[in-house]
Amino acid sequence: MIVRQFLLWARTAPDAARAKAISALARAYTSADLGAADRAALETALPLLAADPSPDVRLALASALSRHPLVPVDIVLTLAELDGEAGQVMLTHSPVLNTRELIEFCESGDAVRQAAIASREGLPAPVAAALAETGHAEACLALVRNVSADIPGFALGRIVVRHGHVGTIREALLARPDLPAAAHQAVIRAVAGTLSSFVAQRQWLEPDVAARVVREACDSAAVETAGREGADVRALVEILKSQGELTPALALRSLLSGQVRMFLETVSVLSGLPTDRIAALAADRSGDAFRVLYNRIGLPAGAYLAFRTALEVLQREDYVDEADEEEAGLKRRIVDTVLDRYASQGETDNKLVGVLERWKENAVRDARERREQRELAA
């Protein structure tokens, strides 16, 4: 009787009054105290309420029902298919929607609905993967920012491939601690490419200088990525090789930065020998075994002294953890020792020496910036 009276009244009632009344009815429906007959009557009326022409009324209904687990699925689907906030509320919060239904909504191509789904608490991995594969940029940004979502590593990689050119998405990806090393490197490469194009268009640097800056930035980022806790260094190295980016300069940078694991994996991939075998050859203090290995993988003859000296420094070092100050100090000791060794042999005009001097300046600048950031944070 109450429902029938409400429907008669609703035909002429103002939108605001209908929205308030429908919200009260919907809250009553979700109450455990509601009798079976009244609940059945309300369920019969719900499709009519969901078809109300007023967006405010539909939103009031959706908001009241969106978190209730026992709402009939046909009503939930009806509300989820609505345009505007009513549909978004149901897609974001309703526990009634299952994985298959969420994926179907993702594949509809509607960016607003996709973004609503991407914001769901505890979004399951299959839905996250579907969004990564088909989602608009807005939806993928919402997904990357959703810290409760279960996003597989390959899905993050797909977002990099599809939307890596979007600055806000790159920033959100780099802020995620679970970003796979290969995806992290791809983001850095996208940033570097964008900056290179911008610099070239403005003619701020000569093309070859801009290309060098980009290449060194990517190498530096790769080494930094390899040093992240839990990084799959082997996978990163293999991807770099497949993209033609596993260069002697990168191998040397990893060693001079104290990232021995990346250096060993790099030499392993280049030589085809197991990593533990490479580690044994590199640990030979005489240097003879490493020299044979060095020649085998075709590294530049003029850089042998740098590689050998860096290994000697690392062999003398105690275990170094990932603390910024200790890591930065190790980098400076390695580079300084290598530069001193070249100077003692009168090779100050060596092209590699110029590269090492530039790396040293960058390392000093980076250490100073990190120190200033810590001071500001304190």
Side-chain angles (χ1 to χ4, degrees):
M1 179 65 69
I2 293 175
V3 174
R4 287 197 298 271
Q5 290 176 346
F6 171 81
L7 293 176
L8 289 173
W9 168 81
R11 293 177 182 177
T12 57
D15 289 355
R18 291 204 315 281
K20 185 176 180 180
I22 282 181
S23 179
L25 275 178
R27 286 197 302 272
Y29 174 78
T30 61
S31 172
D33 298 330
L34 188 67
D38 291 332
R39 185 179 301 279
L42 271 175
E43 286 182 353
T44 302
L46 284 176
L48 296 174
L49 302 180
D52 193 286
S54 169
D56 293 337
V57 172
R58 295 195 299 267
L59 177 58
L61 178 63
S63 299
L65 299 180
S66 62
R67 299 179 186 273
H68 190 57
L70 300 180
V71 179
V73 65
D74 57 331
I75 295 300
V76 172
L77 290 174
T78 297
L79 291 170
E81 289 170 354
L82 293 175
D83 294 329
E85 291 184 70
Q88 296 171 45
V89 166
M90 296 304 293
L91 290 170
T92 300
H93 299 297
S94 178
V96 177
L97 295 168
N98 60 34
T99 297
R100 176 184 58 79
E101 290 159 348
L102 290 171
I103 290 175
E104 289 177 355
F105 276 111
C106 292
E107 294 174 345
S108 69
D110 186 308
V112 174
R113 290 192 174 95
Q114 289 176 345
I117 294 170
S119 302
R120 285 177 69 92
E121 182 74 20
L123 189 72
V127 183
L131 282 168
E133 191 64 38
T134 64
H136 292 265
E138 299 88 339
C140 287
L141 177 59
L143 176 62
V144 173
R145 287 175 171 172
N146 185 353
V147 296
S148 71
D150 181 7
I151 311 177
F154 72 85
L156 290 170
R158 284 297 296 159
I159 293 174
V160 174
V161 171
R162 296 183 61 240
H163 300 298
H165 60 283
V166 181
T168 52
I169 292 181
R170 292 197 302 264
E171 293 174 5
L173 285 165
L174 292 174
R176 291 188 66 96
D178 61 342
L179 184 66
H184 187 278
Q185 184 64 14
V187 174
I188 296 299
R189 191 162 52 248
V191 173
T194 300
L195 290 176
S196 177
S197 300
F198 180 78
V199 169
Q201 289 172 1
R202 296 297 186 277
Q203 297 182 339
W204 290 344
L205 293 175
E206 293 296 325
D208 57 337
V209 176
R212 173 180 61 76
V213 170
V214 168
R215 184 174 61 253
E216 291 188 357
C218 289
D219 286 353
S220 178
V223 173
E224 182 179 346
T225 301
R228 295 168 59 197
E229 184 177 356
D232 189 343
V233 180
R234 181 72 179 202
L236 173 62
V237 169
E238 289 176 344
I239 287 176
L240 290 170
K241 183 176 185 295
S242 69
Q243 295 171 341
E245 298 176 6
L246 198 62
T247 62
L250 179 56
L252 180 58
R253 182 184 286 272
S254 63
L255 192 57
L256 294 178
S257 299
Q259 293 295 344
V260 180
R261 175 66 186 279
M262 185 174 189
F263 170 73
L264 295 176
E265 296 291 1
T266 296
V267 177
S268 171
V269 169
L270 291 175
S271 66
L273 296 175
T275 306
D276 56 352
R277 176 63 175 157
I278 300 299
L281 295 174
D284 177 20
R285 295 185 181 276
S286 71
D288 295 338
F290 178 71
R291 185 61 188 254
V292 173
L293 176 63
Y294 189 91
N295 293 335
R296 171 174 173 170
I297 60 179
L299 292 175
Y304 173 76
L305 182 60
F307 280 92
R308 182 63 241 166
T309 304
L311 280 173
E312 291 174 0
V313 174
L314 289 167
Q315 288 167 351
R316 295 196 300 266
E317 289 286 333
D318 293 330
Y319 173 78
V320 177
D321 63 21
E322 297 302 320
D324 283 348
E325 286 297 333
E326 295 185 19
E327 185 182 6
L330 175 60
K331 291 178 182 179
R332 288 195 295 271
R333 289 195 297 278
I334 295 173
V335 176
D336 285 342
T337 304
V338 172
L339 287 171
D340 290 344
R341 189 68 60 84
Y342 274 103
S344 68
Q345 298 197 8
E347 296 190 33
T348 55
D349 293 333
N350 188 306
K351 181 179 178 180
L352 178 58
V353 171
V355 174
L356 294 174
E357 291 283 6
R358 189 165 59 250
W359 288 0
K360 178 181 177 180
E361 293 173 1
N362 292 339
V364 171
R365 184 194 64 241
D366 292 344
R368 182 176 64 251
E369 291 177 352
R370 285 195 296 268
R371 184 170 59 253
E372 291 173 352
Q373 290 173 357
R374 284 195 297 271
E375 291 173 354
L376 288 173

